Each structure stands twice: as C-alpha cells, then as structure tokens.
Amino acid sequence: MAITARAAELRSAGEDVIGLAAGEPDFETPEHIKAAATAAIADGETRYTPVDGTSALKRAIARKLDRDQGLRYADAEILVSSGAKHSIFNLVCALVNRGDEVVIPAPYWVSYPDMVRLLDGVPVVVPASQSQGFKITPEQLERALTPRSRLVILNSPGNPSGAVYSADELDALGRVLERHPHVVVLTDDIYEHIVWPPGGFHNILELRPGLSGRTVVVNGVSKGYAMTGWRIGYAAGPAPVIAAMRKVQSQSTSNPCSVSQAAAVAALDGDQECIEPMRRAFQERHDFVVARLNAIAGLHCLPSGGTFYAFPNAEGAIAAMQCKDDTALAERLLDAAGVALVPGSAFGMPGHLRLSYACGMDALADAMNRMERLLGAA
Ligand code: PLP
C-alpha cells in the first residue's frame, strides 16, 4: 500500500512510473458478461437478494464445481459473497476464537494473517522458501498442526509466488490432514483458471474427497473472468459452516450486489472460451518476465505454474545496491527506475520482490529495461 501510494504521488508529480504492483487482470470483462448485467438492470434486478445469493447464481456455482472439480453441492452448502476475500473473512469470523491457531504457508496473500489477528487468532506461518518451490512439505504441515489448530489455508496457484501444487503434492498434504480431524481446510482457488499448462489446476478435495466434511472451497469470478470490480466470490462447504458464515454476512454486509450476481451467472454458465486468450497472454508474459529477470544481476526467479505474479529472490541485488532490505530495494526501484513493485516482506518472505505482469508487453519490456539499467546485467 505504501509503495502504491508513493507511486501515485510520483505520477501526480509528472513522473513516468510503471506500475507492477496491481493484483488484478488488465483485461476488460468479456462483453457477454457485461450484457447480462445491463439486462439485469433493465429487468429490475435491483433489489435485495437472499443474503447468501440468488438461487440462479448458487445453481450456476454448483454446476461449475461439478463440471470442473467433480464436486457436488446443495444450495445450503453455498454462500455467495462480495468477493472471495469476503467469503474468506466470513469463514475466519465464523471459525476462529481467541487463541485458535491458523496454519498459513508463506509466502502468503497479505490478508490471511491479518484476518486471523482481527479475530484474536494466532497465525502459524510455515515458511516455504524458493529452494522448495514456495510449497510446504507434508512434514512441515505435520509439525505445524497442534490441538489448537482450527484452520489450514491452502492457496494454489498461489499469490505471490505463482506456485502450483501438483496432484501428488496435494494428495500428500491431504493424507496429513486426514490424521487431524479437528482441523478445517480452506482451499483458496481464486487463480484456478490462470495456470500453465491449461488443466494444471487441482484442489485438495479432488484428491482426498474424504476431507469434504471439513473443507471449504473458496473461489470467485475476479481473476479468471477479469471481474475484480464486480465483487463476487463464493464459498462451498459443509452446511453448518456455511450457515455460520451466512449469519456473519447477514449481520454485516447482507447480499452481494444483485446486478453483479446476474453477471456472475453469465460468467459461470457462459462460453468458457473467453478465459483462454487471457490465460495465454499471462503465460506469454510469464515466460518473458522470468527470462528477463534472470538476466538481471542479483535477481533469481523460478518459473511459476500460474497467476500473474513473478516472485524473484532479490538478496543479491539488495546487497549489491547496499539496501537495508527488500522494502528499501523496492523504494530504490521506484525512485531511481520508476518501477513500482511490492517487497516480499509484505507476504511473509523478505528478500524477494513481487511483480505483477497484469500489464501490456510494451510496459513490461520497458520495466525490465529500467530494472536492468539500475541493477546491471547478470
Ligand atoms: N485470494 C487471493 C490469494 C488473492 O490474491 C485475492 C485477490 O488479490 C483474493 C483471494 C480476493 O479475491 P476477490 O477479488 O474475489 O475478493
């Protein structure tokens, strides 16, 4: 947030700043989805809906989870929220009491630990370094679980690393979780569609269906359909957990936007081909950015399996530039090169940088040239 604010300040002062900090696709929402929203407005779908979402959208979500994951859900097992973030927050509110532990692999999406802290829970951060592909091992998971563990958060493809767990890796984590029946599992699948190769996505329930009685699947339309501003996400899981989440939502925000819900039906039920050009563009940019980053002195970037983020190790560059840490390097890149990106410490992994490649190739090439001019060629 600090970097984004500083970048905005520099821009308003007339500086030429390339923003690689954003967490949203740069594409327009597909036309058929916009048209469904326009039609919903014309048809008067402008009132409160049921707190947990329209039955039309719940049915579309159930069809999607059956089609793509082979998972079956009844309406009482689905909650529609104002974004996946909202569903996750409802889940944390419903589950976590003072002192409850929540296992969070790092690097993590920034909101997970802070949501847990808001509820007086204890984030138990499990570091998954670059040398292990930013993925936790079954042994690490086993060691992190205690009688106080309430929830384990899995996120694949992951923000900020782009790491994607294979079916075998998820199976192994699932076997550990099966030995700890008091623990609820959250699988945050929001980047499901942004993977390479296509079809490379799995979630833990596909592998270990025995966990379905205590696993909550969270997903949404924000990333895959370029619909971040519409604010529609959802959770699917055991009816008692979903009922508790619905209660939290009922007394805080009520239903998500009626018009956005109609648009989300069109996204989930409509032609899924609209995803592919965006997915392909992200993959091309990934290949370009990873190659360019690895040609810059002091940066080392693993190829990822999805998302629109690169997460290079920058320890060499931090030392060479005599910066105190990754935040100081990010500030230097902003001030001296006009490139805005996010320090890894925000995601629980200092010594790294997160670059979003949700921008055009020209801007990306320009940003890579600027970084290379400042840091030098490898
Ligand atoms: N989960 C992860 C890992 C994310 O990166 C994000 C957005 O950045 C979200 C959830 C939230 O998605 P939404 O826009 O649907 O609230």
Side-chain angles (χ1 to χ4, degrees):
M1 296 300 279
I3 295 278
T4 306
R6 175 97 186 106
E9 221 175 80
L10 287 171
R11 264 197 213 100
S12 63
E15 298 281 338
D16 170 23
V17 174
I18 305 174
L20 302 184
E24 60 180 342
D26 51 320
F27 298 104
E28 271 295 305
T29 303
E31 283 307 320
H32 70 281
I33 299 174
K34 290 185 185 173
T38 311
I41 294 172
D43 292 347
E45 289 183 43
T46 54
R47 298 175 179 276
Y48 292 135
T49 74
V51 163
D52 48 350
T54 62
S55 63
L57 180 50
K58 285 187 168 200
R59 288 295 85 216
I61 291 166
R63 279 189 292 275
K64 176 261 176 288
L65 290 169
D66 188 12
R67 177 178 75 221
D68 296 343
Q69 276 76 48
L71 301 171
R72 294 275 176 87
Y73 292 97
D75 281 7
E77 297 169 317
I78 295 173
L79 171 78
V80 185
S81 305
S82 302
K85 186 180 221 168
H86 188 206
S87 277
I88 296 167
F89 188 61
N90 288 334
L91 177 65
V92 174
C93 286
L95 280 186
V96 175
N97 291 324
R98 181 182 297 273
D100 285 348
E101 295 175 358
V102 178
V103 174
I104 303 174
Y108 46 69
W109 181 45
V110 287
S111 296
Y112 299 142
D114 283 344
M115 286 181 184
V116 172
R117 286 189 194 101
L118 269 173
L119 276 297
D120 292 327
V122 180
V124 175
V125 173
V126 181
S129 64
Q130 190 182 47
S131 62
Q132 59 190 85
F134 301 117
K135 294 188 264 193
I136 59 165
T137 63
E139 295 73 28
Q140 284 182 297
L141 178 58
E142 184 76 65
R143 278 198 300 275
L145 292 169
T146 76
R148 295 305 307 261
S149 302
R150 187 71 173 122
L151 180 67
V152 170
I153 301 182
L154 299 176
N155 172 221
S156 170
N159 178 5
S161 69
V164 177
Y165 285 82
S166 70
D168 286 349
E169 288 164 340
L170 287 173
D171 188 63
L173 295 180
R175 284 173 192 272
V176 172
L177 290 163
E178 280 172 354
R179 293 198 288 274
H180 298 269
H182 63 293
V183 177
V184 177
V185 182
L186 160 61
T187 170
D188 178 350
D189 298 353
I190 193 75
Y191 293 98
E192 166 189 7
H193 293 299
I194 310 176
V195 283
W196 31 91
F201 170 83
H202 301 283
N203 81 13
I204 197 159
L205 276 188
E206 299 172 45
L207 283 310
R208 308 302 308 170
L211 292 169
S212 65
R214 54 190 171 100
T215 297
V216 178
V217 176
V218 170
N219 205 329
V221 294
S222 297
K223 315 285 180 174
Y225 301 92
M227 292 177 68
T228 46
W230 300 75
R231 310 307 303 130
I232 296 293
Y234 55 87
V241 178
I242 295 293
M245 293 167 68
R246 185 196 309 126
K247 202 178 280 181
V248 173
Q249 181 160 304
S250 172
Q251 301 298 16
S252 51
T253 61
S254 289
N255 65 273
C257 168
S258 59
V259 175
S260 295
Q261 289 190 67
V265 172
L268 295 177
D269 274 349
D271 187 352
Q272 299 302 297
E273 280 306 304
C274 64
I275 294 170
E276 180 53 17
M278 299 190 265
R279 193 206 64 79
R280 209 177 317 113
F282 287 132
Q283 185 171 0
E284 281 166 20
R285 296 174 194 175
H286 162 270
D287 296 349
F288 172 77
V289 166
V290 172
R292 287 295 310 266
L293 288 173
N294 282 325
I296 295 175
L299 299 183
H300 174 54
C301 189
L302 292 183
S304 78
T307 72
F308 36 77
Y309 308 112
F311 196 63
N313 181 304
E315 282 161 341
I318 292 167
M321 301 300 288
Q322 298 180 338
C323 288
K324 183 164 63 76
D325 53 21
D326 53 345
T327 303
L329 180 64
E331 281 163 4
R332 182 79 67 83
L333 282 162
L334 181 55
D335 289 333
V339 177
L341 35 70
V342 188
S345 46
F347 310 96
M349 188 132 301
H352 294 70
L353 299 170
R354 190 195 76 173
L355 294 76
S356 160
Y357 42 86
C359 61
M361 274 299 223
D362 290 347
L364 272 182
D366 191 1
M368 294 301 120
N369 292 340
R370 292 177 186 206
M371 288 175 67
E372 189 174 294
R373 264 199 305 276
L374 183 70
L375 302 176

